[in-house]
Amino acid sequence: MRLTIVGCSGSYPGPESAASCYLLEAEHTAESGETRTWRILLDLGNGSLGQLHRYVDPLEVDALFLSHLHADHCLDLCGYYVLRKYHPSGAQPRIPVWGPRGTAERMARAYDLPLEPGMNEEFDFREHGGPGAAVEVGPFRVETYEVVHPVSAYALRVSAGGRTLAYSGDTGPCSALDEAARGVHLLLAEASFRSADDNPPDLHMTGADCGRTAAKAGVERLVLTHVPPWHDPSVAEAEARAEWSGPIELARAGATYDV
């Protein structure tokens, strides 16, 4: 599968990138014999919908998976609702959106819609399952692991074609993230904090935390993301390298990875 970094800025859109959004693509042959590219999104944060047009027609996305309901991870679903409802070619078919409990209500309130129908005519809202619960979309198998954050939040483990990626979402270091990342080919991990600061627990990770997670989980490759614009990303990278000797990169908008 191919990963494209649509947005990777932490906490809010920055001068170099929109907020969190990651596009995954993979080929799949259906029982009918038809082969096509399937596409899913991991998060759709502020500013990311506009940037998504650079890489794919947003109407060609097959499903969305929201790690949690903070604005920098979900709020562009409001614009996506407009695009799918009012597109000149007509209202588009509903597509599934997996997220924490209350996603449909959260998005209706965000756009000042009545809770019924809210956005339910455009999106088929579905709730993440328990630890390791899995759903399948075309070639993708997506497993969810509830992690530590002030709101209900999930790490996502995505497999396709014998390859696996883990996305931390927003989390502090925890055993659930270690399990989600176990043996993956690519770990996409948030590095919002710096070790030198007095950081609150169970909120975000430092670059050092990401490196330690990669080492414990035995990952093949580490990509650091969600660094806020007020921090120097090179600090997160240096911290991670001090804890893990494997390949490390800083996410940047437009970068692609063959997982």
Side-chain angles (χ1 to χ4, degrees), residues 158-183:
V158 186
S159 301
R163 306 288 287 179
T164 305
L165 169 148
Y167 168 49
S168 69
D170 280 7
T171 180
C174 62
S175 59
L177 177 60
D178 295 341
E179 184 61 27
R182 188 75 59 198

mmCIF file of all heavy atoms in Angstrom, residues 158-183:
data_model
loop_
_atom_site.group_PDB
_atom_site.id
_atom_site.type_symbol
_atom_site.label_atom_id
_atom_site.label_comp_id
_atom_site.label_asym_id
_atom_site.label_seq_id
_atom_site.Cartn_x
_atom_site.Cartn_y
_atom_site.Cartn_z
ATOM 1 N N VAL A 158 -3.178 -0.830 10.158
ATOM 2 C CA VAL A 158 -3.752 -1.072 8.834
ATOM 3 C C VAL A 158 -2.879 -2.051 8.062
ATOM 4 O O VAL A 158 -1.667 -1.835 7.924
ATOM 5 C CB VAL A 158 -3.879 0.244 8.031
ATOM 6 C CG1 VAL A 158 -4.609 -0.010 6.717
ATOM 7 C CG2 VAL A 158 -4.600 1.313 8.857
ATOM 8 N N SER A 159 -3.503 -3.101 7.543
ATOM 9 C CA SER A 159 -2.781 -4.114 6.762
ATOM 10 C C SER A 159 -3.387 -4.231 5.372
ATOM 11 O O SER A 159 -4.607 -4.104 5.200
ATOM 12 C CB SER A 159 -2.857 -5.477 7.461
ATOM 13 O OG SER A 159 -2.310 -5.416 8.759
ATOM 14 N N ALA A 160 -2.532 -4.487 4.401
ATOM 15 C CA ALA A 160 -2.966 -4.748 3.028
ATOM 16 C C ALA A 160 -1.813 -5.415 2.290
ATOM 17 O O ALA A 160 -0.663 -4.981 2.411
ATOM 18 C CB ALA A 160 -3.378 -3.466 2.308
ATOM 19 N N GLY A 161 -2.123 -6.462 1.546
ATOM 20 C CA GLY A 161 -1.103 -7.116 0.725
ATOM 21 C C GLY A 161 0.077 -7.633 1.508
ATOM 22 O O GLY A 161 1.212 -7.635 1.009
ATOM 23 N N GLY A 162 -0.160 -8.058 2.739
ATOM 24 C CA GLY A 162 0.921 -8.600 3.547
ATOM 25 C C GLY A 162 1.821 -7.566 4.193
ATOM 26 O O GLY A 162 2.840 -7.917 4.795
ATOM 27 N N ARG A 163 1.453 -6.296 4.109
ATOM 28 C CA ARG A 163 2.237 -5.213 4.719
ATOM 29 C C ARG A 163 1.369 -4.487 5.739
ATOM 30 O O ARG A 163 0.142 -4.433 5.601
ATOM 31 C CB ARG A 163 2.726 -4.225 3.661
ATOM 32 C CG ARG A 163 3.499 -4.864 2.509
ATOM 33 C CD ARG A 163 4.872 -5.334 2.929
ATOM 34 N NE ARG A 163 5.778 -4.207 3.140
ATOM 35 C CZ ARG A 163 7.040 -4.359 3.539
ATOM 36 N NH1 ARG A 163 7.538 -5.572 3.796
ATOM 37 N NH2 ARG A 163 7.815 -3.300 3.697
ATOM 38 N N THR A 164 2.007 -3.898 6.750
ATOM 39 C CA THR A 164 1.245 -3.309 7.849
ATOM 40 C C THR A 164 1.833 -1.975 8.276
ATOM 41 O O THR A 164 3.052 -1.811 8.377
ATOM 42 C CB THR A 164 1.205 -4.266 9.064
ATOM 43 O OG1 THR A 164 0.692 -5.530 8.644
ATOM 44 C CG2 THR A 164 0.306 -3.712 10.152
ATOM 45 N N LEU A 165 0.925 -1.026 8.539
ATOM 46 C CA LEU A 165 1.255 0.306 9.035
ATOM 47 C C LEU A 165 0.496 0.530 10.331
ATOM 48 O O LEU A 165 -0.648 0.087 10.470
ATOM 49 C CB LEU A 165 0.867 1.349 7.994
ATOM 50 C CG LEU A 165 0.876 2.836 8.377
ATOM 51 C CD1 LEU A 165 1.244 3.685 7.147
ATOM 52 C CD2 LEU A 165 -0.485 3.314 8.909
ATOM 53 N N ALA A 166 1.101 1.226 11.271
ATOM 54 C CA ALA A 166 0.404 1.654 12.477
ATOM 55 C C ALA A 166 0.457 3.168 12.572
ATOM 56 O O ALA A 166 1.503 3.781 12.317
ATOM 57 C CB ALA A 166 1.014 1.030 13.725
ATOM 58 N N TYR A 167 -0.657 3.755 12.947
ATOM 59 C CA TYR A 167 -0.769 5.205 13.139
ATOM 60 C C TYR A 167 -1.169 5.447 14.583
ATOM 61 O O TYR A 167 -2.185 4.928 15.052
ATOM 62 C CB TYR A 167 -1.811 5.765 12.169
ATOM 63 C CG TYR A 167 -2.243 7.186 12.441
ATOM 64 C CD1 TYR A 167 -1.316 8.197 12.659
ATOM 65 C CD2 TYR A 167 -3.601 7.528 12.443
ATOM 66 C CE1 TYR A 167 -1.711 9.502 12.891
ATOM 67 C CE2 TYR A 167 -4.010 8.831 12.671
ATOM 68 C CZ TYR A 167 -3.069 9.812 12.896
ATOM 69 O OH TYR A 167 -3.469 11.105 13.133
ATOM 70 N N SER A 168 -0.389 6.233 15.283
ATOM 71 C CA SER A 168 -0.615 6.421 16.711
ATOM 72 C C SER A 168 -1.848 7.246 17.022
ATOM 73 O O SER A 168 -2.404 7.130 18.118
ATOM 74 C CB SER A 168 0.610 7.101 17.337
ATOM 75 O OG SER A 168 0.732 8.445 16.885
ATOM 76 N N GLY A 169 -2.314 8.103 16.063
ATOM 77 C CA GLY A 169 -3.245 9.140 16.455
ATOM 78 C C GLY A 169 -2.568 10.019 17.486
ATOM 79 O O GLY A 169 -1.346 10.201 17.457
ATOM 80 N N ASP A 170 -3.331 10.561 18.427
ATOM 81 C CA ASP A 170 -2.754 11.338 19.527
ATOM 82 C C ASP A 170 -2.798 10.487 20.789
ATOM 83 O O ASP A 170 -3.868 9.982 21.170
ATOM 84 C CB ASP A 170 -3.536 12.626 19.756
ATOM 85 C CG ASP A 170 -3.182 13.715 18.770
ATOM 86 O OD1 ASP A 170 -2.415 13.430 17.828
ATOM 87 O OD2 ASP A 170 -3.672 14.846 18.930
ATOM 88 N N THR A 171 -1.670 10.364 21.476
ATOM 89 C CA THR A 171 -1.602 9.505 22.649
ATOM 90 C C THR A 171 -0.337 9.776 23.439
ATOM 91 O O THR A 171 0.668 10.251 22.883
ATOM 92 C CB THR A 171 -1.619 8.015 22.233
ATOM 93 O OG1 THR A 171 -1.563 7.182 23.396
ATOM 94 C CG2 THR A 171 -0.443 7.673 21.324
ATOM 95 N N GLY A 172 -0.385 9.470 24.706
ATOM 96 C CA GLY A 172 0.835 9.324 25.467
ATOM 97 C C GLY A 172 1.357 7.918 25.294
ATOM 98 O O GLY A 172 0.672 7.047 24.734
ATOM 99 N N PRO A 173 2.581 7.637 25.752
ATOM 100 C CA PRO A 173 3.102 6.261 25.675
ATOM 101 C C PRO A 173 2.173 5.316 26.441
ATOM 102 O O PRO A 173 1.704 5.632 27.530
ATOM 103 C CB PRO A 173 4.467 6.363 26.360
ATOM 104 C CG PRO A 173 4.822 7.817 26.317
ATOM 105 C CD PRO A 173 3.533 8.574 26.387
ATOM 106 N N CYS A 174 1.890 4.152 25.853
ATOM 107 C CA CYS A 174 1.000 3.197 26.520
ATOM 108 C C CYS A 174 1.150 1.825 25.878
ATOM 109 O O CYS A 174 1.625 1.690 24.747
ATOM 110 C CB CYS A 174 -0.459 3.654 26.463
ATOM 111 S SG CYS A 174 -1.152 3.811 24.803
ATOM 112 N N SER A 175 0.723 0.805 26.598
ATOM 113 C CA SER A 175 0.845 -0.569 26.110
ATOM 114 C C SER A 175 -0.036 -0.819 24.898
ATOM 115 O O SER A 175 0.304 -1.640 24.036
ATOM 116 C CB SER A 175 0.484 -1.555 27.232
ATOM 117 O OG SER A 175 -0.840 -1.338 27.690
ATOM 118 N N ALA A 176 -1.179 -0.108 24.797
ATOM 119 C CA ALA A 176 -2.054 -0.293 23.637
ATOM 120 C C ALA A 176 -1.352 0.142 22.353
ATOM 121 O O ALA A 176 -1.479 -0.514 21.310
ATOM 122 C CB ALA A 176 -3.350 0.485 23.827
ATOM 123 N N LEU A 177 -0.593 1.235 22.416
ATOM 124 C CA LEU A 177 0.160 1.666 21.239
ATOM 125 C C LEU A 177 1.254 0.661 20.913
ATOM 126 O O LEU A 177 1.487 0.346 19.735
ATOM 127 C CB LEU A 177 0.762 3.052 21.465
ATOM 128 C CG LEU A 177 1.628 3.581 20.317
ATOM 129 C CD1 LEU A 177 0.819 3.696 19.028
ATOM 130 C CD2 LEU A 177 2.251 4.925 20.693
ATOM 131 N N ASP A 178 1.929 0.148 21.932
ATOM 132 C CA ASP A 178 2.956 -0.868 21.692
ATOM 133 C C ASP A 178 2.367 -2.059 20.943
ATOM 134 O O ASP A 178 2.992 -2.602 20.020
ATOM 135 C CB ASP A 178 3.548 -1.351 23.021
ATOM 136 C CG ASP A 178 4.299 -0.262 23.766
ATOM 137 O OD1 ASP A 178 4.676 0.749 23.137
ATOM 138 O OD2 ASP A 178 4.500 -0.426 24.987
ATOM 139 N N GLU A 179 1.167 -2.457 21.339
ATOM 140 C CA GLU A 179 0.524 -3.602 20.696
ATOM 141 C C GLU A 179 0.115 -3.272 19.257
ATOM 142 O O GLU A 179 0.292 -4.071 18.348
ATOM 143 C CB GLU A 179 -0.696 -4.039 21.500
ATOM 144 C CG GLU A 179 -1.387 -5.285 20.974
ATOM 145 C CD GLU A 179 -0.491 -6.517 20.979
ATOM 146 O OE1 GLU A 179 0.440 -6.589 21.816
ATOM 147 O OE2 GLU A 179 -0.723 -7.415 20.137
ATOM 148 N N ALA A 180 -0.427 -2.082 19.056
ATOM 149 C CA ALA A 180 -0.822 -1.676 17.704
ATOM 150 C C ALA A 180 0.373 -1.636 16.763
ATOM 151 O O ALA A 180 0.258 -1.924 15.566
ATOM 152 C CB ALA A 180 -1.495 -0.310 17.755
ATOM 153 N N ALA A 181 1.543 -1.262 17.295
ATOM 154 C CA ALA A 181 2.747 -1.094 16.469
ATOM 155 C C ALA A 181 3.575 -2.356 16.342
ATOM 156 O O ALA A 181 4.577 -2.366 15.608
ATOM 157 C CB ALA A 181 3.610 0.019 17.055
ATOM 158 N N ARG A 182 3.195 -3.433 17.018
ATOM 159 C CA ARG A 182 4.022 -4.632 17.078
ATOM 160 C C ARG A 182 4.392 -5.141 15.688
ATOM 161 O O ARG A 182 3.564 -5.547 14.902
ATOM 162 C CB ARG A 182 3.276 -5.725 17.828
ATOM 163 C CG ARG A 182 4.095 -6.984 18.140
ATOM 164 C CD ARG A 182 5.057 -6.712 19.265
ATOM 165 N NE ARG A 182 4.362 -6.291 20.487
ATOM 166 C CZ ARG A 182 4.953 -5.667 21.489
ATOM 167 N NH1 ARG A 182 6.258 -5.388 21.425
ATOM 168 N NH2 ARG A 182 4.266 -5.323 22.572
ATOM 169 N N GLY A 183 5.703 -5.058 15.354
ATOM 170 C CA GLY A 183 6.228 -5.648 14.140
ATOM 171 C C GLY A 183 5.789 -5.003 12.836
ATOM 172 O O GLY A 183 5.946 -5.608 11.772
#
